[in-house]
Every structure is written in C-alpha cells, then in structure tokens.
C-alpha cells in the first residue's frame, strides 16, 4: 500500500513523497526493504536529508490518568543532501534493520487488536522538516515466539488484546523504551481462579525472555493479586520445548493456591510499585517474579529513566496518526 501526501511544511507547490514497502511484513531482527519516491514541486529544492522512523502507539501512566501517544523506536537516515529540481523524480532504495524487540502486530495473518505500527518518512528542506508520509508496518512472530503463542492456543486461551506500555521490565535486559503485553482470557479450567494472563516477549539476537503475569481472583483458592513467571530460551531451542506443559504446570501451581513452580523472592518485574525502577534483578531461567496487586503500569518516572537510557524519538502524548490508527478499535479480523 502506498500513501501519498503533499509535504505541508514546504507550502503549496512543494515536493511530494511516496514510500513503498517491498516487505510490508517483517519479523523482529529482520530487514525492511523498500524505496522512497520523491517528486519535485514547482520550485527547485535543496534536500538536506531523507529519514525513516519506525513508530508505534504506546500507553503511559501519568498522575491520575492513562495517556496514549506515539513513540519512535528506530530511526534511520536513508539519504544525505541532494538537489531536487522542479518536477524531478528521485527514487531512494533503502534497507533498514528492524529491532529485535519490535512488538508483534500480526499472528497467522490476523491483526492483534490494540497494536498500531508504522513507518514514518521525514524529508528536510532548509531547516524545515516534514514527517509527511506514513505506511502501516506488520511485524510477525519469530518461530521462537510462535512456539510460545501456539502453547496458549493449545491450552485453550483466547486472545483479548495487546498494547505497549512505556517502561522497562525489572531483571530483563531491554533496549526499547516500552514492552508489549499480549493479554489472554484463561481456559475454562482456570476461569474461576485467574482473571487473565499477560504475555511479554523481550527478544535479542541470542534468544528470548518470556514473562507471564497472571491476575489471580480472590476467593477460596487465593487472596488475589498478580503473580509472575520468567523463562529464557535461545531461538533454536524454543520451538522444541513443550511450552504448553511448562505454562500449564505453572498455572496448576497457582490454581492450588501457591505461586507456581518458579517462585523466587524477586519483586514485581514491571516495577508497578516503584515507577523509577528499571533494570534491577538479573533474570534466570525458571525465576518467578511476584508482587502484589498493581495500579496498571510504570509511571512517568520510568519513562524519564528510559529516556535517559536512549529513547529514540521520545513519547509524544496525544500525537495520533490516523493512517495506522484508523479503524483499529473495530476489532474486525483480529486474532
């Protein structure tokens, strides 16, 4: 799909740009291919640079409310300065890497409700920058991630929604300023004991961290609250592990009133009780991080800490881009 827009920052008769993705579907750690097509306007222009940014809709807690904004999680300059004559066509091919921690937005051809990713094009002329062109971007799971997701389906979980939360997960080495939560309704065997389970992947070239958060219902089996589990695996071994058995074993421990087979003394890895914390305890295979009931996600202290650690484009509250967000709440075709 091609989105064409006159670059408003340069006035009437200015250049226009099309960005064409030859690989609209990618995987974490993959490469995005395409070309930027620029058409000169009614006057000569000295282009300073052309850049592409990978952007996503993310949420953050601030004060009493939740804020939704746009965050750029990767930025690449695809061309330096050049002259663009009146009416001239210029094609700039590009190959840009996709971060390993890029969130998943589609599984088996079905969109994950709540996710919105895009590729935004920037063109600069005489210190004026227009972020004018935007293409939707689809990120599919790696085989290592798909193996875990398949286990949820095998166990009878039903997908609820997915979102991105600003902040860092304690005990997990994380590069991006946000983490993804994929939420599931529990199977009937646990529906009276667990409200929902949230799955987070943090991926790197060597493997993946899998963090689960289960919201336990209060009652005869437990006092309620949230409990956590943390696994690690390399990409080669993950597709061959019996994730259904491992996850089911953990859930069975919760249903019996315990904290599961992977209990440890670590605190809530999402930092819900300490909005300024990120990093912290080292992750270990089989560790189970647990904490009390939380208030819904890291606060802006975590966002500020993430910014100091190198957020690419910052978090712009209220910046909504209709091309990738339009119709997302409809739920049609969602996984």
């Amino acid at each position: 799909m091609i989105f064409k827009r006159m670059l408003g920052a340069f006035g009437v008769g200015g250049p226009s740009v099309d960005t064409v993705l030859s690989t609209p579907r990618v995987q974490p750690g993959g490469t995005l291919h395409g070309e930027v097509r620029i058409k000169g306007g009614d006057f000569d222009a000295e282009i300073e640079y052309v850049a592409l940014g990978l952007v996503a809709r993310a949420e953050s807690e601030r004060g009493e409310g939740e804020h939704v904004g746009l965050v750029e999680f990767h930025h690449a300059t695809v061309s330096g300065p050049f002259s663009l004559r009146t009416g001239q066509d210029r094609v700039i091919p590009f190959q840009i890497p996709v971060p390993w921690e890029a969130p998943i937005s589609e599984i088996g051809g079905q969109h994950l409700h709540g996710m919105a990713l895009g590729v935004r094009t920037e063109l600069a002329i005489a210190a004026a920058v227009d972020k004018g062109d935007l293409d939707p971007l689809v990120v599919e799971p790696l085989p290592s991630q798909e193996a875990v997701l398949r286990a949820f389906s095998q166990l009878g979980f039903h997908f609820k929604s997915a979102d991105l939360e600003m902040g860092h997960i304690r005990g997990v080495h994380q590069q991006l300023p946000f983490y993804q939560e994929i939420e599931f309704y529990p199977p009937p065997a646990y529906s009276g004991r667990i409200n929902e389970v949230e799955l987070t992947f943090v991926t790197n070239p060597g493997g993946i961290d899998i963090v689960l958060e289960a919201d336990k219902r209060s009652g005869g089996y437990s006092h309620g609250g949230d409990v956590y589990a943390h696994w690690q695996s390399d990409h080669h071994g993950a597709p061959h592990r019996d994730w259904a058995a491992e996850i089911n074993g953990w859930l069975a421990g919760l249903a019996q009133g315990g904290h599961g087979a992977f209990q440890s003394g670590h605190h809530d890895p999402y930092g819900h009780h300490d909005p300024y914390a990120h990093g912290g305890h080292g992750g270990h295979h089989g560790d189970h991080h647990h904490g009390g009931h939380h208030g819904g996600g890291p606060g802006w202290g975590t966002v500020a800490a993430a910014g100091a650690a190198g957020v690419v484009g910052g978090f712009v509250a209220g910046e909504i881009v209709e091309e990738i967000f339009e119709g997302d709440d409809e739920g049609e075709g969602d996984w």
Side-chain angles (χ1 to χ4, degrees):
M1 186 179 294
I2 304 173
F3 291 86
K4 184 174 182 179
R5 177 186 296 180
M6 188 66 68
L7 297 179
F10 310 132
V12 177
S16 61
V17 61
D18 300 340
T19 297
V20 183
L21 300 180
S22 57
T23 52
R25 284 173 169 77
V26 295
Q27 291 180 325
T31 302
L32 186 65
H33 298 261
E35 59 185 26
V36 179
R37 302 172 182 174
I38 304 173
K39 185 174 182 60
D42 298 337
F43 52 85
D44 293 348
E46 295 299 320
I47 307 299
E48 295 181 359
Y49 69 84
V50 181
L52 298 175
L54 304 185
V55 299
R57 180 175 62 187
E59 301 176 0
S60 179
E61 294 288 333
R62 185 181 182 185
E64 297 297 324
E66 184 176 72
H67 293 257
V68 177
L70 197 66
V71 61
E72 182 180 78
F73 61 95
H74 186 70
H75 189 90
T77 300
V78 297
S79 174
F82 63 90
S83 298
L84 185 68
R85 303 306 177 194
T86 301
Q88 179 185 2
D89 294 329
R90 181 75 175 246
V91 177
I92 303 171
F94 62 82
Q95 300 180 37
I96 60 175
V98 177
W100 282 94
E101 293 178 21
I104 298 167
S105 64
E106 185 176 287
I107 299 175
Q110 298 297 309
H111 173 68
L112 288 186
H113 176 64
M115 296 306 303
L117 306 177
V119 181
R120 184 167 60 180
T121 306
E122 297 181 15
L123 189 145
I125 301 177
V129 179
D130 196 301
K131 300 178 180 181
D133 192 45
L134 185 73
D135 277 298
L137 175 66
V138 175
V139 178
E140 299 176 318
L142 293 161
S144 54
Q145 297 170 318
E146 191 171 6
V148 179
L149 292 163
R150 189 181 307 116
F152 275 85
S153 178
Q154 293 170 349
L155 291 171
F157 282 87
H158 294 283
F159 173 73
K160 177 183 177 183
S161 64
D163 62 14
L164 301 179
E165 298 282 346
M166 296 296 293
H168 282 84
I169 300 175
R170 189 189 304 272
V172 176
H173 182 68
Q174 184 180 334
Q175 297 289 333
L176 295 186
F178 53 71
Y179 55 87
Q180 182 178 30
E181 292 183 334
I182 305 174
E183 302 175 1
F184 295 91
Y185 292 114
Y190 298 110
S191 60
R193 307 170 187 179
I194 299 171
N195 289 311
E196 65 180 31
V197 175
E198 296 177 354
L199 165 66
T200 296
F201 293 115
V202 180
T203 310
N204 59 67
I208 55 174
D209 286 85
I210 301 108
V211 180
L212 298 186
E213 175 182 356
D215 180 11
K216 295 176 63 178
R217 292 188 177 182
S218 59
Y221 292 96
S222 72
H223 297 292
D226 297 340
V227 290
Y228 305 87
H230 179 197
W231 289 267
Q232 290 179 321
S233 178
D234 59 52
H235 292 297
H236 176 74
H240 306 290
R241 287 176 63 169
D242 191 347
W243 290 109
E246 295 193 43
I247 295 170
N248 190 55
W250 175 63
L251 290 172
L254 299 183
Q256 293 170 4
H259 289 289
F262 309 111
Q263 182 175 356
S264 77
H266 294 168
H267 296 290
D268 173 357
Y270 295 96
H272 293 129
H273 298 294
D274 182 2
Y276 293 90
H278 67 291
H281 301 290
H284 302 282
H285 169 60
D287 277 1
H288 171 216
H289 303 263
H290 67 279
H293 188 69
H294 62 80
W300 274 77
T302 303
V303 178
V311 174
V312 175
F315 180 84
V316 184
E319 182 181 353
I320 303 299
V321 186
E322 286 79 5
E323 286 90 342
I324 59 174
F325 296 158
E326 185 177 7
D328 183 62
D329 292 333
E330 297 296 325
E332 182 176 352
D334 287 338
W335 181 60

